[in-house]
Amino acid sequence: MNVFVTVKQTPDPNSTPKLGDDFRLVRDGVELVMDQGDEYGVEEGLQLAEKTGGSVTVVSMGPEKANDAIRKALSMGAEGGILITDPGLAGSDALGTARAIAAAVKDKGFDILICGTESFDGSTGMVPPQIAEILGIPHLSFAKKLEVEGNKVTVQRQTADGYVMLEAETPVVVTVTGGLNEPRYPTLKGIMGAKSKPVENVDAAALGLDAGHVGEGGALVKVAGVDPAPERAAGEVITDEGQSGERVAAMLAELKVI
Amino acid sequence: MAEIWVHVEGYEGDVAPITLEILSKARTLGADVVAVAMGSVTAHNARLGEYGATKVLSDARSEHDEYFVLPAVEVFAALARERKPAAILFGGSYDGRDIATRVAARLGVGMAAFATEVSLEGEDVKVDVPIFGATLISHKVFAGDRPRIVTVRPKAFAAEASGGGAPAVEEVSPELGDATRRVKVLETKVEASEGPKLEEAAVVVTGGRGMGGPENFPILQDLAGLLGGAVGATRAVVDAGWVPYAMQVGQTGKTVKPNVYIAAGVSGAMQHTVGMKGSKNIISINKDEEAPIFKLSDLGIVGDVHKVLPQIIDAVKAKKGG
Ligand SMILES: Cc1cc2nc3c(=O)[nH]c(=O)nc-3n(C[C@H](O)[C@H](O)[C@H](O)COP(=O)(O)OP(=O)(O)OC[C@H]3O[C@@H](n4cnc5c(N)ncnc54)[C@H](O)[C@@H]3O)c2cc1C
Ligand SMILES: Nc1ncnc2c1ncn2[C@@H]1O[C@H](COP(=O)(O)O)[C@@H](O)[C@H]1O
């Protein structure tokens, strides 16, 4: 099975995000990592490839630095990568990003393209279904379990009160949630081996992208301004010395909960 | 007058609360509010008028229940191309997000996700989107063609009946080609939980990784039971498999706005707080006095959940008894 996985380079979840004057996330001086959600994607892809005798190729769009996310996936066991990088793509919105990724994978004959459900910084989960839409193929989202038999792909898709079982045929885009596997750590051998694995660099021109449809100029949603949200008034912090039960009960009584 | 369309979502054999919330907001925007209903939820079309829809575009075909989102995407795209609404509003729910996102890509129009405020100036839509765990509000505007596609965060608006009459119902049935039947819905499974629903409960008691393990969750259930509340969890906890995903509160989980939110062993990561920051009263218990959750708590308790929770239960029992 020819598995593709998208990986995004995002700020370390333990860092405090900052916005620049252009309302874009500040990436300079911030530790970047492979998006947590994508680690599950890479792991799921590797397991599928191992089971079905195939390989995993990872795709990332971003500045040169995004290569680190690709390298990490390669050291986990992916066979190759595609880095979509071009200053003209900076500032792309979800649709612009989806257009670029779709263009990069469309002739690669993949069976499954695995993505994270939503990225740490974008957090809208719009890119994966839009890739599927642009490619004219189905997507199966919020998968907490993924199974493949021949060309049939089934997922357990998370819902508000349980799950639905969905079934489609390849090729298909699947978005995975955390918790469906335990992402492996790269081994030393994996890290050494990753160095000689092929990573293809492509730009907007190579992908035949229309400059009016990608990058900042092509973005269809713009940020007009950012304001601080109304703060919650600071409350009281006490240290438990055996009195906190009483304190909470008193508060609950005051609020007429009990 | 500009038309604003609202996607009608079903939940538990009725119209989903998120749809009623969006309709309640949409009717204040000074546009014609048109609900778009598909599949079995069309049985409730009449009800949509009470919340502000003057018209329903209704497509009762069973394909909408048998196949996943692609038929709905096709109907929205076909109708929108023909009738050119100013905007289409969807719930920021599982189905709403999946449909909205593909409709935006198919029409090549802009989409803003998880809005908590929507306004209409002339034919143009502006939205507010909370970012960074709702510490900042980003004001978004659109470029390019209409319709503007927006998903709305659950509980951003209150569902209030307007006393409106039955809406005009127009049956619609754009062609659904084979391509719309590529994802079959094989089975729908509800993971039942005890007590009131998380999204509706007046008290929510949430456990985080600091609870130590699934074996310590029953005490949260006990407390929630005493307070007539529901139990929630952080993603760290559902990812670890301690409790079902349906209990997750936060960005990828549920948005709750109870009267009282009790967070036990929860650090207060942005992706968690965005789903509970609107709670009226927040009480948190964490052994780390630096935990971010304390910044938004009305009462923060620096202590061990294993010691503090039993104390709370005893004190509540004593108060209730006396
Ligand atoms: C795209 C994306 C979406 C996400 N969506 C969500 C979401 O919807 N909901 C969500 O919750 N998270 C979400 N997250 C994850 C989020 O970033 C945090 O990782 C998660 O909320 C942390 O959960 P936690 O507070 O249980 O665990 P931790 O951050 O590990 O915190 C545990 C806390 O327990 C305290 N503690 C430990 N032992 C004790 C004790 N004995 N007594 C008292 N306190 C103790 C510790 O001091 C610590 O503060 C998302 C992340 C991403 C990247
Ligand atoms: N620039 C990107 N490069 C590679 N993958 C991406 C990129 N943006 C989004 N994705 C994929 O889409 C998923 C959801 O991201 P988002 O739509 O930004 O929330 C991520 O987890 C990635 O798998």
Side-chain angles (χ1 to χ4, degrees), chain A residues 186-201:
Chain A
T187 59
L188 193 57
K189 189 158 155 258
I191 294 168
M192 299 312 289
K195 298 203 167 109
S196 57
K197 288 179 175 170
V199 177
E200 187 191 341
N201 270 40

Side-chain angles (χ1 to χ4, degrees), chain A residues 47-62:
Chain A
Q47 290 187 14
L48 260 184
E50 282 155 11
K51 234 179 278 169
T52 58
S55 68
V56 172
T57 307
V58 290
V59 190
S60 189
M61 168 166 143

Side-chain angles (χ1 to χ4, degrees), chain A residues 28-79:
Chain A
D28 292 339
V30 178
E31 170 116 39
L32 298 171
V33 297
M34 181 200 292
D35 192 284
Q36 250 177 357
D38 290 338
E39 289 190 20
Y40 297 103
V42 172
E43 177 61 39
E44 198 63 19
L46 291 171
Q47 290 187 14
L48 260 184
E50 282 155 11
K51 234 179 278 169
T52 58
S55 68
V56 172
T57 307
V58 290
V59 190
S60 189
M61 168 166 143
E64 281 290 337
K65 274 290 289 159
N67 214 348
D68 295 351
I70 294 183
R71 287 288 159 205
K72 169 146 190 206
L74 296 179
S75 59
M76 287 168 76
E79 294 295 334

Side-chain angles (χ1 to χ4, degrees), chain B residues 11 18-19 31 37 58 65 82 101 156 158 229-230 234 237 249 272 307-308 315:
Chain B
Y11 186 57
I18 179 68
T19 302
S58 175
D65 302 311
E82 185 191 308
T101 309
T234 64
V237 159
V249 173
H272 181 75
K307 293 199 184 115
V308 176

